[in-house]
Coordinates of all heavy atoms in Angstrom, one line a residue:
E1 N 0.8 -1.2 0.0 CA 0.0 0.0 0.0 C 0.9 1.2 0.0 O 1.9 1.3 0.7 CB -0.9 0.0 1.2 CG -1.8 1.1 1.3 CD -2.7 1.1 2.5 OE1 -2.8 0.0 3.2 OE2 -3.3 2.1 2.8
D2 N 0.5 2.2 -0.8 CA 1.3 3.5 -0.8 C 0.6 4.5 0.1 O -0.5 4.9 -0.2 CB 1.3 4.0 -2.3 CG 2.3 5.2 -2.5 OD1 3.0 5.5 -1.5 OD2 2.3 5.8 -3.5
M3 N 1.3 4.9 1.1 CA 0.8 5.9 2.0 C 2.0 6.8 2.4 O 3.1 6.5 2.2 CB 0.1 5.3 3.2 CG 1.0 4.6 4.2 SD 0.2 4.0 5.7 CE -0.5 2.5 5.2
T4 N 1.6 8.0 3.0 CA 2.6 8.9 3.5 C 3.0 8.5 4.9 O 2.1 8.4 5.8 CB 2.1 10.3 3.5 OG1 1.8 10.7 2.1 CG2 3.2 11.3 4.0
V5 N 4.2 8.2 5.2 CA 4.7 7.6 6.5 C 4.6 8.7 7.6 O 5.0 9.9 7.4 CB 6.1 7.1 6.4 CG1 6.7 6.7 7.7 CG2 6.2 6.0 5.3
E6 N 4.1 8.3 8.7 CA 4.1 9.1 9.9 C 5.1 8.5 11.0 O 5.8 9.2 11.6 CB 2.7 9.3 10.5 CG 1.8 10.2 9.6 CD 0.4 10.3 10.2 OE1 0.2 9.9 11.3 OE2 -0.4 10.8 9.4
W7 N 5.0 7.2 11.1 CA 5.7 6.4 12.1 C 5.9 5.0 11.6 O 5.0 4.4 11.0 CB 4.9 6.4 13.4 CG 5.5 5.7 14.5 CD1 5.2 4.4 14.9 CD2 6.5 6.1 15.4 NE1 5.9 4.1 16.0 CE2 6.7 5.1 16.4 CE3 7.2 7.3 15.6 CZ2 7.7 5.2 17.4 CZ3 8.1 7.4 16.6 CH2 8.3 6.4 17.5
V8 N 7.0 4.4 11.9 CA 7.3 3.0 11.6 C 7.7 2.3 12.8 O 8.4 2.7 13.7 CB 8.5 3.0 10.6 CG1 8.8 1.5 10.2 CG2 8.3 3.8 9.4
E9 N 7.1 1.1 12.9 CA 7.3 0.2 14.1 C 7.9 -1.1 13.6 O 7.5 -1.7 12.6 CB 6.0 -0.1 14.8 CG 6.0 -0.9 16.0 CD 4.6 -1.1 16.5 OE1 4.2 -0.3 17.4 OE2 3.9 -2.1 16.1
V10 N 9.0 -1.5 14.3 CA 9.6 -2.8 14.0 C 9.5 -3.7 15.2 O 10.0 -3.3 16.3 CB 11.1 -2.6 13.6 CG1 11.8 -3.9 13.3 CG2 11.2 -1.6 12.4
T11 N 8.9 -4.9 15.1 CA 8.8 -5.8 16.2 C 9.7 -7.0 15.9 O 9.7 -7.6 14.8 CB 7.4 -6.3 16.3 OG1 6.5 -5.2 16.5 CG2 7.2 -7.3 17.5
I12 N 10.6 -7.2 16.8 CA 11.7 -8.3 16.7 C 11.5 -9.3 17.7 O 11.3 -9.0 18.9 CB 13.1 -7.7 16.8 CG1 13.3 -6.6 15.7 CG2 14.1 -8.7 16.7 CD1 14.5 -5.8 15.9
D13 N 11.5 -10.6 17.3 CA 11.4 -11.7 18.2 C 12.7 -12.5 18.0 O 13.0 -13.1 17.0 CB 10.2 -12.6 17.9 CG 10.1 -13.7 18.9 OD1 10.9 -13.8 19.9 OD2 9.1 -14.5 18.8
N14 N 13.6 -12.4 19.0 CA 14.9 -13.0 18.9 C 15.2 -13.7 20.2 O 15.0 -13.2 21.3 CB 15.9 -11.9 18.7 CG 17.4 -12.4 18.5 OD1 17.7 -13.5 18.8 ND2 18.2 -11.5 18.1
T15 N 15.8 -14.9 20.2 CA 16.1 -15.7 21.4 C 17.5 -15.5 22.0 O 17.8 -16.1 23.0 CB 16.0 -17.2 21.1 OG1 17.0 -17.6 20.2 CG2 14.6 -17.6 20.5
N16 N 18.3 -14.6 21.5 CA 19.6 -14.4 22.0 C 19.5 -13.9 23.5 O 18.7 -13.0 23.8 CB 20.4 -13.3 21.2 CG 21.8 -13.2 21.7 OD1 22.2 -13.4 22.8 ND2 22.7 -12.9 20.7
R17 N 20.2 -14.6 24.4 CA 20.1 -14.3 25.8 C 20.6 -12.9 26.1 O 20.1 -12.2 27.0 CB 20.9 -15.3 26.6 CG 20.6 -15.3 28.1 CD 21.3 -16.4 28.8 NE 22.0 -15.8 29.9 CZ 23.2 -16.0 30.2 NH1 23.9 -16.8 29.6 NH2 23.7 -15.4 31.2
F18 N 21.4 -12.4 25.2 CA 22.0 -11.0 25.3 C 21.5 -10.2 24.1 O 22.4 -9.8 23.3 CB 23.5 -11.0 25.5 CG 23.9 -11.7 26.8 CD1 24.4 -13.0 26.7 CD2 23.8 -11.1 28.0 CE1 24.8 -13.7 27.9 CE2 24.2 -11.8 29.2 CZ 24.7 -13.1 29.1
A19 N 20.3 -10.0 24.0 CA 19.7 -9.3 22.8 C 20.2 -7.9 22.7 O 20.3 -7.3 21.7 CB 18.2 -9.3 22.9
S20 N 20.7 -7.3 23.8 CA 21.2 -6.0 23.9 C 22.6 -5.9 23.2 O 23.1 -4.8 23.1 CB 21.3 -5.4 25.3 OG 20.0 -5.3 25.8
D21 N 23.1 -7.0 22.7 CA 24.4 -6.9 22.0 C 24.2 -6.4 20.5 O 25.1 -6.2 19.8 CB 25.0 -8.3 21.8 CG 25.4 -8.9 23.2 OD1 25.5 -8.2 24.2 OD2 25.8 -10.1 23.2
Y22 N 22.9 -6.2 20.1 CA 22.6 -5.9 18.7 C 22.5 -4.4 18.5 O 22.1 -3.6 19.3 CB 21.2 -6.5 18.4 CG 21.3 -8.0 18.2 CD1 20.8 -8.8 19.2 CD2 21.7 -8.6 17.0 CE1 20.9 -10.2 19.1 CE2 21.8 -10.0 16.9 CZ 21.3 -10.8 17.9 OH 21.4 -12.1 17.8
R23 N 22.9 -4.1 17.3 CA 22.5 -2.8 16.7 C 21.5 -3.1 15.6 O 21.7 -4.0 14.8 CB 23.7 -2.1 16.1 CG 23.4 -0.7 15.4 CD 24.5 0.0 14.9 NE 25.5 -0.8 14.1 CZ 26.8 -0.9 14.4 NH1 27.3 -0.3 15.4 NH2 27.5 -1.7 13.6
V24 N 20.4 -2.3 15.6 CA 19.3 -2.5 14.6 C 19.2 -1.2 13.8 O 19.0 -0.1 14.4 CB 18.0 -2.9 15.3 CG1 16.9 -3.1 14.3 CG2 18.1 -4.1 16.2
E25 N 19.3 -1.4 12.5 CA 19.1 -0.2 11.6 C 18.0 -0.5 10.6 O 17.8 -1.6 10.2 CB 20.4 0.0 10.8 CG 21.6 0.4 11.7 CD 22.9 0.4 11.1 OE1 23.3 -0.6 10.4 OE2 23.6 1.4 11.1
L26 N 17.3 0.6 10.3 CA 16.1 0.5 9.4 C 16.4 1.4 8.2 O 16.8 2.5 8.3 CB 14.8 0.9 10.1 CG 13.6 1.1 9.3 CD1 13.1 -0.3 8.8 CD2 12.5 1.7 10.1
T27 N 16.2 0.8 7.0 CA 16.3 1.6 5.7 C 15.0 1.6 5.0 O 14.4 0.6 4.8 CB 17.4 1.0 4.8 OG1 18.6 1.0 5.5 CG2 17.6 1.9 3.6
S28 N 14.5 2.8 4.7 CA 13.2 3.0 4.1 C 13.3 2.6 2.6 O 14.4 2.5 2.0 CB 12.6 4.4 4.2 OG 13.4 5.3 3.4
A29 N 12.1 2.5 1.9 CA 12.1 2.3 0.5 C 12.7 3.4 -0.3 O 13.3 3.2 -1.4 CB 10.6 2.1 0.0
E30 N 12.7 4.6 0.3 CA 13.3 5.8 -0.4 C 14.8 5.9 -0.1 O 15.5 6.8 -0.5 CB 12.6 7.0 0.0 CG 11.2 7.1 -0.6 CD 10.5 8.4 -0.5 OE1 11.2 9.4 -0.1 OE2 9.3 8.5 -0.7
G31 N 15.4 5.0 0.8 CA 16.8 5.0 1.1 C 17.2 5.7 2.4 O 18.4 5.7 2.7
T32 N 16.3 6.2 3.1 CA 16.6 6.8 4.4 C 17.0 5.7 5.4 O 16.3 4.8 5.6 CB 15.5 7.7 5.0 OG1 15.1 8.7 4.0 CG2 15.8 8.3 6.3
K33 N 18.2 5.9 6.0 CA 18.7 4.9 7.0 C 18.8 5.5 8.4 O 19.3 6.6 8.5 CB 20.0 4.3 6.6 CG 20.5 3.2 7.4 CD 21.8 2.6 6.8 CE 22.3 1.4 7.6 NZ 23.4 0.8 6.9
T34 N 18.2 4.8 9.4 CA 18.3 5.3 10.7 C 18.6 4.1 11.7 O 18.2 3.0 11.4 CB 17.0 6.0 11.2 OG1 17.2 6.6 12.4 CG2 15.8 5.1 11.2
T35 N 19.3 4.4 12.8 CA 19.6 3.4 13.8 C 18.4 3.4 14.8 O 18.2 4.5 15.4 CB 20.9 3.7 14.5 OG1 22.0 3.6 13.5 CG2 21.2 2.6 15.6
I36 N 17.7 2.3 15.0 CA 16.6 2.3 15.9 C 16.9 1.6 17.2 O 16.2 1.7 18.1 CB 15.3 1.7 15.2 CG1 15.6 0.3 14.8 CG2 14.8 2.5 14.1 CD1 14.3 -0.4 14.3
M37 N 18.1 1.0 17.3 CA 18.6 0.5 18.6 C 20.1 0.4 18.5 O 20.7 -0.1 17.5 CB 18.0 -0.9 18.8 CG 18.4 -1.4 20.2 SD 17.7 -3.1 20.5 CE 19.1 -4.1 20.2
T38 N 20.8 0.8 19.5 CA 22.2 0.7 19.7 C 22.5 -0.4 20.7 O 21.7 -0.6 21.6 CB 22.9 2.0 20.0 OG1 22.4 2.5 21.2 CG2 22.8 3.0 18.9
E39 N 23.6 -1.0 20.6 CA 24.0 -2.1 21.6 C 24.2 -1.5 23.0 O 24.6 -0.3 23.2 CB 25.3 -2.8 21.1 CG 26.5 -1.9 21.1 CD 26.6 -1.0 19.9 OE1 25.8 -0.9 19.0 OE2 27.6 -0.3 19.9
N40 N 23.8 -2.3 24.0 CA 24.1 -2.0 25.4 C 24.5 -3.3 26.0 O 23.7 -4.1 26.3 CB 22.8 -1.5 26.0 CG 23.0 -1.1 27.5 OD1 24.0 -1.4 28.1 ND2 22.0 -0.4 28.1
T41 N 25.8 -3.5 26.2 CA 26.3 -4.7 26.7 C 26.4 -4.9 28.2 O 27.1 -5.7 28.7 CB 27.7 -5.0 26.1 OG1 28.5 -3.9 26.4 CG2 27.7 -5.1 24.6
S42 N 25.6 -4.1 28.9 CA 25.5 -4.2 30.3 C 25.0 -5.6 30.7 O 24.1 -6.2 30.1 CB 24.5 -3.2 30.9 OG 24.2 -3.5 32.2
P43 N 25.7 -6.3 31.7 CA 25.2 -7.6 32.1 C 23.9 -7.7 32.7 O 23.3 -8.7 32.9 CB 26.3 -8.0 33.1 CG 26.9 -6.8 33.6 CD 26.8 -5.8 32.4
D44 N 23.3 -6.5 33.1 CA 22.0 -6.5 33.8 C 20.9 -6.5 32.8 O 19.7 -6.6 33.1 CB 21.9 -5.2 34.6 CG 22.9 -5.2 35.8 OD1 23.3 -6.3 36.2 OD2 23.3 -4.1 36.2
I45 N 21.2 -6.3 31.5 CA 20.2 -6.3 30.4 C 20.3 -7.5 29.6 O 21.3 -7.7 28.9 CB 20.3 -5.0 29.6 CG1 20.2 -3.8 30.4 CG2 19.3 -5.0 28.4 CD1 20.5 -2.5 29.7
N46 N 19.3 -8.4 29.7 CA 19.3 -9.6 28.9 C 18.0 -10.2 28.6 O 17.0 -9.9 29.3 CB 20.2 -10.7 29.5 CG 19.8 -11.0 30.9 OD1 18.6 -11.0 31.2 ND2 20.7 -11.3 31.8
N47 N 17.9 -10.9 27.5 CA 16.7 -11.7 27.1 C 15.4 -10.9 26.9 O 14.3 -11.5 26.9 CB 16.5 -12.8 28.1 CG 15.8 -14.0 27.5 OD1 15.9 -14.3 26.3 ND2 15.1 -14.7 28.3
W48 N 15.5 -9.6 26.7 CA 14.3 -8.8 26.6 C 13.6 -8.8 25.3 O 12.5 -8.4 25.1 CB 14.5 -7.4 27.1 CG 15.6 -6.7 26.4 CD1 16.9 -6.7 26.8 CD2 15.5 -6.0 25.2 NE1 17.7 -6.0 25.9 CE2 16.8 -5.5 24.9 CE3 14.5 -5.7 24.3 CZ2 17.1 -4.8 23.7 CZ3 14.8 -4.9 23.2 CH2 16.1 -4.5 22.9
M49 N 14.3 -9.4 24.2 CA 13.6 -9.5 22.9 C 12.9 -10.8 22.7 O 12.1 -10.9 21.8 CB 14.7 -9.4 21.8 CG 15.0 -8.0 21.4 SD 16.1 -8.1 19.9 CE 16.5 -6.4 19.8
N50 N 13.1 -11.7 23.6 CA 12.4 -13.0 23.5 C 10.9 -12.9 23.7 O 10.4 -12.3 24.7 CB 13.0 -14.0 24.6 CG 12.6 -15.4 24.3 OD1 11.9 -15.7 23.4 ND2 13.0 -16.3 25.2
G51 N 10.2 -13.2 22.6 CA 8.7 -13.1 22.6 C 8.3 -11.9 21.9 O 7.1 -11.7 21.6
G52 N 9.2 -11.0 21.5 CA 8.8 -9.8 20.7 C 9.0 -8.5 21.4 O 8.6 -8.4 22.6
F53 N 9.7 -7.6 20.8 CA 9.9 -6.3 21.3 C 9.8 -5.2 20.2 O 10.3 -5.4 19.1 CB 11.4 -6.2 21.9 CG 11.6 -4.9 22.7 CD1 11.1 -4.8 24.0 CD2 12.2 -3.8 22.1 CE1 11.3 -3.6 24.7 CE2 12.4 -2.6 22.8 CZ 11.9 -2.5 24.1
R54 N 9.1 -4.2 20.5 CA 8.8 -3.1 19.5 C 9.8 -2.0 19.6 O 10.0 -1.5 20.7 CB 7.4 -2.6 19.7 CG 6.3 -3.7 19.2 CD 5.0 -3.1 19.4 NE 4.8 -2.8 20.8 CZ 3.6 -2.7 21.4 NH1 2.5 -2.7 20.7 NH2 3.5 -2.4 22.7
L55 N 10.3 -1.6 18.5 CA 11.1 -0.4 18.3 C 10.4 0.5 17.3 O 9.7 0.0 16.4 CB 12.5 -0.8 17.8 CG 13.2 -1.8 18.6 CD1 14.4 -2.4 17.8 CD2 13.8 -1.3 19.9
G56 N 10.6 1.8 17.4 CA 9.9 2.7 16.5 C 10.8 3.8 16.0 O 11.9 4.1 16.6
A57 N 10.4 4.4 14.9 CA 11.2 5.5 14.3 C 10.2 6.5 13.6 O 9.3 6.1 12.9 CB 12.2 5.0 13.3
A58 N 10.5 7.8 13.7 CA 9.8 8.8 12.9 C 10.7 9.4 11.9 O 10.3 10.4 11.2 CB 9.3 9.9 13.8
A59 N 11.9 8.8 11.7 CA 12.9 9.4 10.7 C 12.4 9.4 9.3 O 12.9 10.2 8.5 CB 14.2 8.7 10.8
M60 N 11.4 8.6 8.9 CA 11.0 8.5 7.6 C 9.7 9.3 7.3 O 9.0 9.1 6.3 CB 10.7 7.0 7.2 CG 12.0 6.2 7.1 SD 12.7 5.7 8.6 CE 14.0 4.7 8.1
M61 N 9.3 10.1 8.3 CA 8.1 10.9 8.2 C 8.0 11.7 6.9 O 9.0 12.3 6.5 CB 8.0 11.9 9.3 CG 6.6 12.7 9.4 SD 6.5 13.8 10.7 CE 6.5 12.8 12.1
G62 N 6.9 11.6 6.2 CA 6.7 12.3 4.9 C 7.1 11.5 3.7 O 6.7 11.8 2.6
E63 N 7.8 10.3 3.9 CA 8.2 9.5 2.7 C 7.0 8.6 2.3 O 6.0 8.4 3.1 CB 9.4 8.6 3.1 CG 10.6 9.4 3.3 CD 11.8 8.5 3.6 OE1 11.8 7.3 3.3 OE2 12.9 9.1 4.0
S64 N 7.1 8.0 1.2 CA 6.2 7.0 0.7 C 6.5 5.7 1.3 O 7.7 5.3 1.5 CB 6.2 6.9 -0.8 OG 5.5 5.8 -1.3
S65 N 5.5 4.9 1.7 CA 5.7 3.6 2.2 C 5.9 2.5 1.2 O 6.4 1.4 1.5 CB 4.5 3.2 3.1 OG 3.3 3.1 2.2
K66 N 5.6 2.8 -0.1 CA 5.7 1.8 -1.1 C 7.1 1.5 -1.5 O 8.0 2.3 -1.6 CB 5.0 2.4 -2.4 CG 4.8 1.3 -3.4 CD 4.0 1.9 -4.6 CE 3.7 0.8 -5.6 NZ 2.8 1.3 -6.6
G67 N 7.4 0.2 -1.6 CA 8.7 -0.3 -2.0 C 9.3 -1.3 -0.9 O 8.6 -1.8 0.0
I68 N 10.5 -1.6 -1.1 CA 11.2 -2.5 -0.2 C 11.9 -1.8 0.9 O 12.7 -0.9 0.7 CB 12.3 -3.3 -1.1 CG1 11.5 -4.1 -2.1 CG2 13.1 -4.2 -0.2 CD1 12.5 -4.8 -3.1
W69 N 11.6 -2.3 2.1 CA 12.3 -1.8 3.3 C 13.3 -2.8 3.8 O 13.1 -4.0 3.6 CB 11.2 -1.5 4.4 CG 10.3 -0.4 4.1 CD1 9.4 -0.3 3.1 CD2 10.2 0.9 4.8 NE1 8.8 0.9 3.1 CE2 9.2 1.6 4.2 CE3 10.8 1.4 5.9 CZ2 8.9 2.9 4.6 CZ3 10.5 2.6 6.4 CH2 9.5 3.4 5.7
N70 N 14.3 -2.4 4.6 CA 15.3 -3.3 5.1 C 15.6 -3.1 6.5 O 15.7 -1.9 7.0 CB 16.6 -3.1 4.3 CG 17.7 -4.1 4.6 OD1 17.4 -5.3 4.6 ND2 18.8 -3.6 5.0
V71 N 15.6 -4.2 7.3 CA 16.0 -4.1 8.7 C 17.3 -4.9 8.8 O 17.4 -6.1 8.4 CB 14.9 -4.8 9.6 CG1 15.4 -4.8 11.1 CG2 13.6 -4.0 9.5
E72 N 18.3 -4.3 9.4 CA 19.6 -4.9 9.5 C 20.0 -5.0 11.0 O 20.0 -4.0 11.7 CB 20.7 -4.1 8.8 CG 22.1 -4.7 8.8 CD 23.1 -3.9 8.1 OE1 22.7 -3.0 7.3 OE2 24.3 -4.1 8.3
M73 N 20.2 -6.3 11.4 CA 20.6 -6.5 12.8 C 22.1 -7.0 12.8 O 22.4 -7.9 12.1 CB 19.7 -7.6 13.4 CG 18.3 -7.2 13.7 SD 17.4 -8.5 14.5 CE 18.2 -8.6 16.0
T74 N 22.9 -6.3 13.7 CA 24.3 -6.7 13.8 C 24.6 -7.1 15.2 O 24.4 -6.3 16.1 CB 25.2 -5.5 13.4 OG1 24.8 -5.1 12.1 CG2 26.6 -5.9 13.4
D75 N 25.0 -8.3 15.4 CA 25.4 -8.8 16.8 C 26.8 -8.4 17.0 O 27.7 -8.8 16.3 CB 25.2 -10.3 16.9 CG 25.4 -10.8 18.3 OD1 26.0 -10.1 19.1 OD2 25.1 -12.0 18.5
L76 N 27.1 -7.5 17.9 CA 28.4 -6.9 18.1 C 29.3 -7.7 19.1 O 30.4 -7.3 19.4 CB 28.3 -5.4 18.5 CG 27.6 -4.6 17.4 CD1 27.2 -3.3 17.9 CD2 28.5 -4.5 16.2
V77 N 28.7 -8.8 19.7 CA 29.5 -9.6 20.6 C 29.4 -11.0 20.2 O 28.3 -11.6 20.1 CB 28.9 -9.5 22.1 CG1 29.7 -10.4 23.0 CG2 28.9 -8.0 22.5
D78 N 30.5 -11.6 19.9 CA 30.6 -12.9 19.2 C 30.4 -14.1 20.2 O 30.2 -15.2 19.8 CB 31.9 -13.1 18.5 CG 32.0 -12.2 17.3 OD1 30.9 -11.9 16.7 OD2 33.1 -11.9 16.9
E79 N 30.5 -13.9 21.5 CA 30.5 -15.0 22.4 C 29.2 -15.8 22.6 O 29.1 -16.8 23.1 CB 31.0 -14.6 23.8 CG 32.4 -14.2 23.9 CD 32.6 -12.7 23.6 OE1 31.8 -11.9 23.9 OE2 33.7 -12.5 23.0
D80 N 28.1 -15.2 22.1 CA 26.8 -15.8 22.3 C 26.1 -15.8 21.0 O 26.5 -15.1 20.0 CB 26.0 -15.1 23.4 CG 25.9 -13.6 23.2 OD1 25.9 -13.1 22.0 OD2 26.0 -12.9 24.2
A81 N 25.0 -16.5 20.9 CA 24.2 -16.5 19.7 C 22.7 -16.7 20.0 O 22.4 -17.1 21.1 CB 24.7 -17.7 18.8
G82 N 21.9 -16.4 19.0 CA 20.5 -16.6 19.2 C 19.8 -16.9 17.9 O 20.5 -16.9 16.8
T83 N 18.5 -17.1 17.9 CA 17.7 -17.3 16.7 C 16.8 -16.2 16.5 O 16.0 -15.8 17.4 CB 17.0 -18.6 16.9 OG1 17.9 -19.7 17.1 CG2 16.1 -18.9 15.6
L84 N 16.8 -15.6 15.3 CA 15.9 -14.6 14.9 C 14.6 -15.3 14.5 O 14.6 -16.0 13.5 CB 16.4 -13.8 13.8 CG 15.5 -12.7 13.2 CD1 15.1 -11.7 14.3 CD2 16.1 -12.0 12.0
R85 N 13.6 -15.2 15.3 CA 12.3 -15.9 15.0 C 11.5 -15.1 13.9 O 10.9 -15.7 13.0 CB 11.5 -16.0 16.2 CG 12.1 -17.0 17.2 CD 11.2 -17.1 18.4 NE 11.7 -18.1 19.4 CZ 11.5 -18.0 20.7 NH1 10.8 -17.0 21.1 NH2 12.1 -18.8 21.5
S86 N 11.4 -13.8 14.1 CA 10.7 -13.0 13.2 C 11.0 -11.5 13.3 O 11.4 -11.0 14.4 CB 9.2 -13.2 13.4 OG 8.8 -12.7 14.6
I87 N 10.7 -10.8 12.2 CA 10.8 -9.3 12.2 C 9.5 -8.9 11.5 O 9.2 -9.3 10.4 CB 12.0 -8.7 11.5 CG1 13.3 -9.1 12.2 CG2 11.8 -7.2 11.3 CD1 14.5 -8.5 11.5
Q88 N 8.7 -8.0 12.1 CA 7.5 -7.5 11.5 C 7.6 -5.9 11.4 O 8.0 -5.3 12.4 CB 6.3 -7.8 12.4 CG 5.0 -7.3 11.9 CD 3.8 -7.6 12.8 OE1 3.9 -8.5 13.5 NE2 2.8 -6.8 12.6
L89 N 7.3 -5.4 10.3 CA 7.4 -4.0 10.0 C 6.0 -3.5 9.9 O 5.2 -4.0 9.1 CB 8.2 -3.7 8.8 CG 8.3 -2.2 8.4 CD1 9.3 -1.5 9.3 CD2 8.8 -2.1 6.9
T90 N 5.6 -2.4 10.6 CA 4.3 -1.8 10.5 C 4.5 -0.3 10.3 O 5.2 0.3 11.0 CB 3.5 -2.0 11.8 OG1 3.4 -3.4 12.2 CG2 2.1 -1.4 11.7
V91 N 3.8 0.1 9.2 CA 3.9 1.5 8.8 C 2.6 2.2 9.2 O 1.5 1.8 8.8 CB 4.2 1.7 7.3 CG1 4.3 3.2 6.9 CG2 5.6 1.0 7.0
Y92 N 2.7 3.3 9.9 CA 1.5 4.1 10.2 C 1.6 5.4 9.4 O 2.6 6.0 9.3 CB 1.5 4.5 11.7 CG 1.4 3.3 12.6 CD1 2.6 2.7 13.1 CD2 0.2 2.7 12.9 CE1 2.5 1.6 13.9 CE2 0.1 1.6 13.7 CZ 1.3 1.0 14.2 OH 1.2 -0.1 15.0
G93 N 0.5 5.8 8.8 CA 0.5 7.0 8.0 C -0.9 7.3 7.4 O -1.9 6.7 7.9
H94 N -0.9 8.0 6.4 CA -2.2 8.4 5.7 C -2.0 8.4 4.2 O -1.0 8.4 3.7 CB -2.6 9.8 6.2 CG -1.7 10.9 6.0 ND1 -0.6 11.1 6.8 CD2 -1.6 11.7 4.9 CE1 0.1 12.1 6.3 NE2 -0.5 12.5 5.2

């Protein structure tokens, strides 16, 4: 569907015990790239993406939703691993 973007929501379900090791970047169909999560390797933060966690961005406001969007996740700590179960992109707009 082609609409004017107001807000974009990314829901990630990942089993990595240390999900905060990730940096998550979103690129719109028009090529705008924004970081929607930066890594936080604090030992007190873990397992919070398991079951789904929503991240949001308004950086694409005013763009068209039509086309291919890209979500890039980078695990910045190699000692652990997880399984990416799903990524869901929801565009809010008019």
Side-chain angles (χ1 to χ4, degrees):
E1 182 180 343
D2 188 11
M3 68 173 82
T4 302
V5 175
E6 293 177 10
W7 178 262
V8 181
E9 179 181 273
V10 178
T11 304
I12 300 171
D13 186 0
N14 183 349
T15 65
N16 189 328
R17 197 171 127 229
F18 297 100
S20 296
D21 294 351
Y22 289 99
R23 177 176 46 238
V24 180
E25 296 171 305
L26 174 65
T27 304
S28 72
E30 293 190 13
T32 301
K33 185 173 187 175
T34 188
T35 301
I36 57 175
M37 186 179 99
T38 57
E39 66 281 1
N40 180 350
T41 56
S42 168
D44 297 330
I45 300 175
N46 56 33
N47 208 26
W48 56 268
M49 275 189 189
N50 193 0
F53 188 81
R54 290 180 297 198
L55 305 164
M60 289 77 175
M61 185 182 293
E63 294 186 14
S64 170
S65 64
K66 190 173 185 176
I68 297 172
W69 291 65
N70 184 54
V71 177
E72 182 178 343
M73 291 182 63
T74 306
D75 188 344
L76 298 168
V77 179
D78 292 334
E79 289 89 36
D80 51 36
T83 300
L84 177 62
R85 292 181 181 150
S86 67
I87 294 179
Q88 178 181 339
L89 180 73
T90 305
V91 176
Y92 298 94
H94 59 277

